[in-house]
Amino acid sequence: MDHQEQQWLDWVEQLRAIAQNGLAYADGHFDIERYHQLQTIAHDMTALLSGAPRSKVDQYFVGENGYTTPKLDIRAGVFKDDKILLVKERSDGCWALPGGWADVCESPALGAERETLEESGYIVKAVKLVAVRDTHRHPYHPRNAHHLLKLLFRCELQGGEAKENIEISEIDFFDVNQLPPLSQGRTIAEDVALMVKHKDHPDLPTEFD
């Protein structure tokens, strides 16, 4: 994706946020109608830029209401014998650090532990927040329809055993220099490298944007 395409996606995301925020707070009939029109334009532009059917765009954003904020994606870095835990996503057949969206009423650290258990079968303990990444500030992150903040936690392995589930078809530990194809929307090689750096140098401060 070139700079111009990224700029258009930024503008569309800002338009959608303005529309959603307006609908959250507007109380006049004409204002609400205008914000709905703006929302329609933002969805049309998203469909055009992404090549996705308009109905799919609407479905993706269904239920989005209230003031627009970034979404939180939590990922866990778990090591065993200097190898890192990855899970194979059934949706695209590629591998990722265990994790997913942050849940309401759950701390991010607990979310990293829970997601790892659910996706891999392994019991872990979050010991360090390695990084808070604004994906918009790192061009190697694939663009998402949502503005994403990634929270990367280093976790210690405490027990359990590999157990596949409805979302995950395989679980394994990999040499960090021989990674399998990664599920780019979830995990990129730079995420793994960052986990390795903080494992090898545990006194490093948390990195953030």
Side-chain angles (χ1 to χ4, degrees):
M1 181 181 298
D2 61 28
H3 176 73
Q4 188 175 35
E5 289 175 320
Q6 290 183 2
Q7 182 63 74
W8 274 104
L9 286 171
D10 285 344
W11 285 335
V12 171
E13 187 170 345
Q14 291 169 25
L15 283 176
R16 188 176 60 79
I18 291 169
Q20 185 174 317
N21 293 345
L23 289 171
Y25 295 107
D27 54 9
H29 170 75
F30 292 109
D31 285 339
I32 292 173
E33 183 178 2
R34 291 187 187 99
Y35 284 123
H36 273 301
Q37 290 173 345
L38 185 60
Q39 189 177 59
T40 297
I41 292 171
H43 284 204
D44 285 341
M45 293 176 71
T46 300
L48 180 64
L49 290 168
S50 66
R54 172 55 197 277
S55 59
K56 187 173 182 180
V57 173
D58 289 338
Q59 184 179 17
Y60 188 82
F61 291 114
V62 68
E64 290 286 323
N65 50 55
Y67 191 83
T68 305
T69 62
K71 284 191 172 290
L72 299 180
D73 180 39
I74 299 171
R75 297 288 156 178
V78 184
F79 291 89
K80 183 172 76 170
D81 300 329
D82 290 328
K83 294 184 177 182
I84 194 163
L85 175 65
L86 298 176
V87 296
K88 189 174 185 179
E89 300 282 345
R90 293 186 188 274
S91 60
D92 62 6
C94 294
W95 296 78
L97 295 169
W101 296 125
D103 277 357
V104 173
C105 299
E106 180 180 65
S107 74
L110 287 177
E113 295 167 3
R114 174 187 54 77
E115 285 282 353
T116 302
L117 178 61
E118 290 179 356
E119 292 198 339
S120 72
Y122 287 107
I123 301 167
V124 302
K125 177 67 176 178
V127 295
K128 183 183 182 182
L129 177 60
V130 169
V132 180
R133 282 281 177 83
D134 178 348
T135 58
H136 279 194
R137 292 178 177 269
H138 300 275
Y140 43 78
H141 276 286
R143 291 304 298 268
N144 188 285
H146 294 289
H147 183 185
L148 297 185
L149 299 182
K150 284 187 173 284
L151 306 185
L152 303 179
F153 284 91
R154 187 170 68 83
C155 298
E156 291 183 350
L157 181 62
Q158 295 192 328
E161 59 183 14
K163 185 179 180 181
E164 64 184 56
N165 57 71
I166 192 172
E167 295 180 347
I168 303 301
S169 61
E170 295 181 48
I171 300 102
D172 207 348
F173 287 86
F174 289 88
D175 185 315
V176 296
N177 296 312
Q178 296 180 326
L179 297 175
L182 297 175
S183 182
Q184 295 295 310
R186 298 176 175 87
T187 297
I188 57 176
E190 286 80 0
D191 295 337
V192 175
L194 197 58
M195 294 291 194
V196 173
K197 183 173 77 169
H198 281 258
K199 175 185 73 70
D200 293 340
H201 305 281
D203 292 332
L204 286 173
T206 297
E207 302 184 22
F208 59 88
D209 292 320

